[in-house]
Amino acid sequence: MSYEFKTEDAYGLARAIGADIHEKGDELFFKYCPQCRGGGNRDKNTFSVNLKSGLFKCFRASCDYHGHFVELARDFDYDLGFGEKRVYRKLPQKPVVVRNGAIEYMAKRGISSEICRKYELTTRTDNKDILVFPFYDETGTLQFVKYRNMKFRKGIDKNKEWSEAETMPILFGIKQCKDFDRLIITEGQIDSLSVAECGFNNAVSVPTGATGFTWLANCWDWITKFHDVVVFGDNEHGKITLADTLRARLPQTVKVVRKKDYLGEKDANDILLKYGKQAIRAAIENAEIPQLENVKDLALVQSVDINALPKIKTNIPDIDRLIGGLVMGQVILLTGKRGHGKSTFMSQLVCEALDQRENVFIYSGELADYHFKRWIDFQLAGTDYIKAIQNIYGDYEYTIGDGVIRQISDWYKGRAYIYDNNWLPEDGAEFESLPETIEKVIKQYGVRLVCIDNLMTAMETVQENDQLYLAQSNFVGQLKKIAVKYDVVVILVAHPRKSKLEFDNDDVAGSADITNKADVVMSYERIENDDTCDSKLSITKNRLFGKYATKDKAIKLCYSERTKRIFPYGLYPRHYGWEDYFQPVEEELPL
């Protein structure tokens, strides 16, 4: 028979191979691709199974493992049965004789003889020390039997609990449920009996512990009839067992007993024995829908004056007026035609950050580190400390005295860092991703401005175009998370896709998600036939303040070949903080 994909099969395979998984939309993501295991860099969450279509894919270009779930199951020896319903062993259907041994044992656990008889607990005829839990379905048919050694000796006896082989796993206590109002699910049978002892009719327990969910498909039609579900799992390692999976899988409201209502105990039976029935009742009545980790109550969000957010001023008045400066927590996309000066504009923003005592990190995929340093040193030095010398061709060359260079370097030493493009990991070591490096420099060096020049060089390891766009989207998404998490500014330089008279956000080369995920989009370019300026800056996205500068309202700027600075027409020469400590010798005096 042909196979039809079922969501339960995807979860079942994940459990079978020990995969760490999470749901996002219609996709079931695996922490590591089962085929490539994330490659040499141990890339995470690059593999998913679509829970509607059953199609799977690894998004790593060097792996590209993809196909239909039935092929995935074949490759990892996971038995699907190909549409044939599994046949379980039929159990003898005969009345259960409730024996005193079961009643006496359960009395020690706080369970009355009435509950023992209601749930038909007994002991084996061939061994009175083996407790028997019969599992009946809603029709009263015995489907599953579980045993418990009441005199288990650790290190001597083989198993404390086991079940009849090849029988259908279902919930314990289905037959005894009275209605479809509220269902209480525990991890162990004695825990569900403890709940029943406290007067709750619909108390059940899973058959094989917290990690086995093969019972869910067998009980699906029955369990989904309930109005809501309360999970009363074991309180282990700061989490309530069963809760996460049942919340993800069941369609109705799922509440969970609060950790504080366990009163320091592990499970329902422990609570019953130590604190009595009222503690169990309170725990169930106080059960609540857990707060999602990635969702918060809007009323509890701190009220923030957007205008008062920490920022780095660009000291170009029109830019600061429109976008407020470089506001912390933002990703700023800077684009423009090739060779028009967007990298120069970025490096000037680095100068402004340094002057405002903020630490910076630069990734320059196109310039050698000494080239970038020379460029920024010119911008910091300014006209007064740059000498113009005419060469043999009649052109001017510009230079800075060694004393000025030393003073500038000392001024930003320990505050400005650049990525070493020549670095290679030691043999056998994993290559560190740029976002990982960025997080480290933020935490270790107190960096508040991150500049990446440019997107394409950061993506150069991705070869295929379809994978390139996904990688770009993920990369910019990572930058945004870093900006928000550490309250820093990230400036990302990107090339435009094409040239035309007026720039818009769709002109950025690569994935459309690049501009979607950026907070500010700016475009810098040279212009001609203007008596007062030679360049302009357009602001085409401004998420925080909503103010733009496009077309004839673009900000007019000037560029100095001598200082490499970009500035508004008529603005007085800029002086940076390093000059406050400089004692020039005669040959370094301002010209």
Side-chain angles (χ1 to χ4, degrees):
M1 297 177 64
S2 64
Y3 171 72
E4 292 185 9
F5 174 72
K6 297 184 289 294
T7 298
E8 288 76 15
D9 289 340
Y11 277 92
L13 182 143
R15 288 193 298 272
I17 66 175
D20 188 351
I21 55 175
H22 71 274
E23 260 190 66
K24 184 176 182 181
D26 293 333
E27 299 290 326
L28 183 67
F29 279 89
F30 288 47
K31 186 174 182 179
Y32 296 109
C33 169
Q35 183 78 359
C36 68
R37 306 300 299 170
N41 292 332
R42 295 286 283 169
D43 296 327
K44 299 176 182 177
N45 301 317
T46 64
F47 180 90
S48 72
V49 178
N50 187 281
L51 296 176
K52 288 187 175 180
S53 68
L55 296 176
F56 72 87
K57 183 175 179 63
C58 177
F59 298 103
R60 296 185 67 251
S62 59
C63 177
D64 194 33
Y65 180 48
H66 67 279
H68 191 274
F69 181 78
V70 70
E71 299 171 279
L72 179 67
R74 175 204 62 201
D75 292 346
F76 289 89
D77 296 322
Y78 183 73
D79 183 20
L80 294 175
F82 291 98
E84 296 182 9
K85 188 174 181 179
R86 180 175 176 180
V87 177
Y88 292 100
R89 181 164 64 90
K90 299 295 183 182
L91 291 169
Q93 304 297 313
K94 57 184 180 180
V96 172
V97 178
V98 177
R99 296 187 174 89
N100 288 334
I103 294 175
E104 292 169 2
Y105 177 80
M106 296 306 295
K108 298 175 184 177
R109 307 301 294 264
I111 310 300
S112 66
S113 61
E114 289 77 15
I115 293 296
C116 290
R117 290 189 174 90
K118 179 179 178 179
Y119 287 83
E120 303 181 37
L121 304 190
T122 190
T123 56
R124 286 178 55 153
T125 55
D126 60 344
N127 188 338
K128 64 179 182 179
D129 293 329
I130 304 302
L131 183 64
V132 180
F133 295 100
F135 288 61
Y136 296 95
D137 64 19
E138 64 270 31
T139 69
T141 302
L142 182 65
Q143 299 284 9
F144 189 81
V145 177
K146 191 170 180 181
Y147 304 105
R148 182 184 181 95
N149 187 343
M150 295 185 288
K151 293 186 177 181
F152 176 73
R153 297 162 297 176
K154 190 174 182 180
I156 298 176
D157 295 321
K158 186 176 181 181
N159 296 310
K160 185 176 184 179
E161 292 187 339
W162 66 96
S163 59
E164 283 285 345
E166 300 301 320
T167 56
M168 184 169 74
I170 61 172
L171 291 167
F172 172 75
I174 289 178
K175 173 184 172 182
Q176 289 78 14
C177 290
K178 297 297 184 182
D179 53 45
F180 290 101
D181 183 20
R182 175 177 59 183
L183 182 68
I184 302 157
I185 303 180
T186 69
E187 182 176 332
Q189 286 70 61
I190 295 178
D191 293 319
S192 66
L193 294 170
S194 299
V195 172
E197 183 69 35
C198 297
F200 294 93
N201 290 323
N202 302 333
V204 297
S205 60
V206 298
T208 54
T211 58
F213 284 90
T214 52
W215 59 267
L216 187 55
N218 301 327
C219 299
W220 184 259
D221 292 339
W222 180 81
I223 198 172
T224 53
K225 293 177 183 178
F226 283 85
H227 181 267
D228 58 10
V229 171
V230 171
V231 177
F232 203 156
D234 287 359
N235 183 13
E236 294 183 335
H237 310 296
K239 298 194 72 174
I240 309 304
T241 60
L242 305 175
D244 289 345
T245 299
L246 291 178
R247 285 171 60 205
R249 304 284 294 279
L250 293 179
Q252 63 264 65
T253 299
V254 177
K255 297 181 180 180
V256 180
V257 171
R258 302 181 303 180
K259 294 176 186 176
K260 62 182 180 181
D261 285 331
Y262 281 80
L263 304 175
E265 300 303 313
K266 175 178 175 288
D267 54 37
N269 188 246
D270 288 345
I271 298 171
L272 175 65
L273 290 174
K274 192 166 186 178
Y275 297 107
K277 295 180 181 180
Q278 183 53 40
I280 293 287
R281 295 189 187 106
I284 293 171
E285 297 301 336
N286 292 334
E288 58 187 15
I289 301 172
Q291 181 71 39
L292 297 175
E293 293 181 358
N294 59 342
V295 177
K296 61 175 67 174
D297 189 327
L298 182 60
L300 302 179
V301 175
Q302 181 183 2
S303 181
V304 173
D305 181 358
I306 293 176
N307 294 302
L309 288 172
K311 59 183 70 72
I312 299 170
K313 291 292 185 182
T314 69
N315 282 310
I316 297 177
D318 283 341
I319 298 178
D320 291 334
R321 175 178 61 85
L322 292 174
I323 68 171
L326 310 180
V327 180
M328 298 297 171
Q330 289 194 319
V331 171
I332 297 174
L333 185 66
L334 175 60
T335 187
K337 297 176 182 178
R338 297 176 187 273
H340 275 226
K342 54 186 178 293
S343 298
T344 299
F345 184 73
M346 182 202 76
S347 64
Q348 184 165 313
L349 297 178
V350 171
C351 296
E352 296 299 332
L354 290 171
D355 198 56
Q356 294 166 57
R357 308 304 299 174
E358 301 289 4
N359 293 3
V360 301
F361 172 71
I362 305 101
Y363 169 84
S364 179
E366 295 182 342
L367 293 180
D369 51 7
Y370 63 84
H371 192 164
F372 184 87
K373 174 177 169 56
R374 192 64 171 173
W375 206 263
I376 202 171
D377 286 347
F378 267 86
Q379 290 176 318
L380 287 168
T383 304
D384 290 346
Y385 296 95
I386 297 174
K387 297 179 180 180
I389 301 172
Q390 198 168 24
N391 61 25
I392 59 174
Y393 306 105
D395 298 325
Y396 282 99
E397 296 177 349
Y398 302 103
T399 186
I400 310 174
D402 291 342
V404 173
I405 292 294
R406 282 195 301 271
Q407 181 62 41
I408 291 174
S409 296
D410 288 344
W411 178 70
Y412 61 62
K413 185 177 182 180
R415 299 193 299 119
Y417 301 89
I418 190 167
Y419 187 87
D420 185 355
N421 291 325
N422 296 319
W423 174 81
L424 289 174
E426 296 179 0
D427 291 343
E430 294 183 2
F431 194 85
E432 184 174 84
S433 71
L434 184 55
E436 288 175 324
T437 300
I438 290 171
E439 286 204 69
K440 286 183 179 179
V441 297
I442 290 171
K443 291 188 288 186
Q444 295 184 22
Y445 301 143
V447 163
R448 296 269 280 168
L449 174 66
V450 175
C451 297
I452 302 171
D453 185 12
N454 60 58
L455 177 63
M456 290 307 297
T457 55
M459 296 288 98
E460 63 184 5
T461 57
V462 181
Q463 302 298 324
E464 299 178 24
N465 287 336
D466 60 334
Q467 300 304 311
L468 173 62
Y469 285 177
L470 175 64
Q472 287 176 340
S473 176
N474 291 340
F475 180 71
V476 179
Q478 286 179 289
L479 296 181
K480 177 58 182 176
K481 288 180 180 179
I482 290 171
V484 172
K485 180 179 179 180
Y486 297 104
D487 199 28
V488 301
V489 181
V490 178
I491 298 176
L492 175 62
V493 176
H495 292 310
R497 178 182 290 112
K498 54 190 175 182
S499 298
K500 63 181 185 181
L501 292 178
E502 295 296 338
F503 169 83
D504 61 43
N505 294 340
D506 291 335
D507 291 337
V508 176
S511 168
D513 276 350
I514 297 171
T515 52
N516 290 339
K517 292 179 178 178
D519 298 284
V520 176
V521 178
M522 301 189 295
S523 175
Y524 177 82
E525 60 181 303
R526 300 284 177 85
I527 59 175
E528 299 177 353
N529 304 320
D530 192 302
D531 295 334
T532 61
C533 63
D534 55 18
S535 57
K536 67 177 182 178
L537 183 85
S538 299
I539 299 173
T540 56
K541 181 176 182 180
N542 183 4
R543 178 173 286 152
L544 204 58
F545 296 100
K547 298 177 182 178
Y548 305 96
T550 60
K551 298 181 180 180
D552 58 344
K553 293 184 179 179
I555 300 168
K556 301 293 183 67
L557 298 168
C558 303
Y559 169 71
S560 167
E561 177 65 28
R562 180 169 183 159
T563 64
K564 319 302 180 193
R565 291 181 180 180
I566 296 170
F567 53 92
Y569 176 77
L571 191 70
Y572 292 108
R574 183 86 166 87
H575 293 276
Y576 290 100
W578 69 268
E579 294 184 59
D580 296 340
Y581 311 97
F582 185 53
Q583 300 294 326
V585 294
E586 184 175 351
E587 63 269 19
E588 293 170 337
L589 288 171
L591 300 179

